[in-house]
Structures are given as structure tokens and as C-alpha cells.
Amino acid sequence: MTTIATDDLWGEAGPGSRRILEAALTAFAARGYHGASTRDIAAAAGMSPSAVYAHHRTKEDLLYAISLAGHRSALAAVERALGEEVTAVGRLRALVHDYTAWHARHHQLARVVQYELGALAPDHRDEILRLRRRTEEVVLDEIAAGIASGAFRTEDPGGVALAVLSLGVDVSRWYAPGGHHNPVSLGRRYATLVLAMLGTDHRSATAG
């Protein structure tokens, strides 16, 4: 199983911008995009509203930056997972594990980027949707390759791909640290479930 790297979510953003992004993420996760004001975000970041606007012109720009960082990070987690595996079963097991675990580890971020998509401006939403489609394509390609090799058996690869993505995304809705599951155990559990959907041998689904 791959080891999930800790992403530098904010890339080249400077210290002030990072403080604002973290404050905005916390506010959006707690109150929703429409319930959080720029004044709330500025106060949480220890800045004035004008200082926030110096880094990000609008509240929507903050949501866009957070959404872009989150979707890029989730896609990178999926691509890293595939980099260490060779077999169809191993690759999909790693993919599902790391995608699920990413949504648990980053549950606050994931909840915002998954459930506040409709608040983005059309051009920003289109860019985020392209990233989402790329992630969907990676999952579907892995399932299709496994079917072609004889490792998987399903008449509905699109349905299984949708299940993989839906299971991962839904983790961000309910996950809380300190509960019955941690990101690793949850990732293993979901990987076993998905591989069972694809008709793999139970032992190959849980090994590793």
C-alpha cells in the first residue's frame, strides 16, 4: 500500500495568503460559503478586510483557490497511488485506498470543495470540473484495464467508477477524527468493497 504524502496545498502562496486561505477554509467548512463573510475570514486570519482583498479580490476567489488546491491534491493522490503498483488488482486497491484516505485526512477541505461547487463563477467552475473529469477518467481507465486483462468482472464499469468516487467523496461528509475508523483502515475497507464489486478473489483484495 502506498504512503500518502502530506501535500503543500497552497503551493507558492506567501504567509499572508496562506493565513487567509486557512481561515477561509475553516469558515466555509463551519458555516458554508454563503454563511461565511469576508469579515469573518479576515478576523480569523488576524487581518483587516482590506488586507484580505489585497491577496484575493473576492470571497469567490478564495473559494476558487481552495477548490483548485483541493482537486489538484486529490488527483495527485490518485496518480501517486498508481505509481507504485503493477497488477490491476494492486493498482485499483491502492487507488481506492488513497482516494478514500485523502478524503478522510482532508475531510474539512474535501467537504468544502465537493459541496460548495455551485458557488463558483462559471469559468472557475468549468476549470474545476475539468479536474474532476480527469480524476474520473483515471478511475475508469484502471477499471477498464482490469476488465481487459481478465482481473475484473463487471458489466457496468461506469457504475463501479461512480461508486469509487461517491464512496470517497461521502467520507468528507461524515468523517471525524477519533471515531471508529482512521484514514488507513477506512481506505482498506473501501478498497476491499470495491474489489468485491469487481469479482476479485477476496484474498487478493485484502492482501498487502
Side-chain angles (χ1 to χ4, degrees):
M1 193 62 60
T2 59
T3 300
I4 301 174
T6 300
D7 296 276
D8 181 3
L9 292 170
W10 312 126
E12 297 180 358
S17 184
R18 286 169 179 263
R19 282 167 56 197
I20 295 166
L21 288 165
E22 291 289 350
L25 173 57
T26 300
F28 295 158
R31 304 183 184 93
Y33 172 78
H34 293 292
S37 69
T38 304
R39 189 172 296 277
D40 293 332
I41 294 165
M47 298 179 175
S48 67
S50 61
V52 172
Y53 290 129
H55 292 276
H56 298 275
R57 293 175 301 167
T58 66
K59 188 174 73 165
E60 191 274 339
D61 274 349
L62 280 167
L63 179 63
Y64 166 63
I66 291 167
S67 297
L68 194 61
H71 281 86
R72 284 175 172 170
S73 177
L75 176 58
V78 166
E79 292 175 337
R80 280 195 303 267
L82 297 176
E84 298 182 17
E85 300 292 342
V86 176
T87 67
V89 169
R91 285 170 67 85
L92 196 65
R93 181 173 61 234
L95 184 158
V96 175
H97 175 280
D98 286 15
Y99 185 72
T100 302
W102 184 92
H103 280 82
R105 290 179 190 273
H106 298 288
H107 56 96
Q108 188 180 58
L109 169 65
R111 190 163 60 249
V112 170
V113 305
Q114 297 292 353
Y115 293 104
E116 300 290 352
L117 185 65
L120 290 170
D123 56 335
H124 288 163
R125 184 166 58 249
D126 288 346
E127 185 173 357
I128 298 304
L129 289 174
R130 284 193 291 271
L131 283 170
R132 291 167 74 94
R133 283 194 293 271
R134 175 57 188 149
T135 304
E136 292 165 7
E137 288 167 0
V138 171
V139 176
L140 191 54
D141 286 350
E142 289 302 316
I143 293 171
I147 292 170
S149 71
F152 303 151
R153 296 185 300 278
T154 180
E155 296 181 358
D156 188 11
V160 177
L162 180 61
V164 169
L165 297 165
S166 298
L167 285 168
V169 168
D170 194 55
V171 166
S172 66
R173 178 183 58 81
W174 59 262
Y175 184 82
H180 294 298
H181 300 289
N182 60 50
V184 171
S185 68
L186 194 60
R188 288 175 178 163
R189 187 175 210 179
Y190 279 22
T192 299
L193 290 172
V194 170
L195 288 168
M197 290 182 207
L198 291 166
T200 63
D201 180 81
H202 178 71
R203 289 166 296 180
S204 68
T206 56

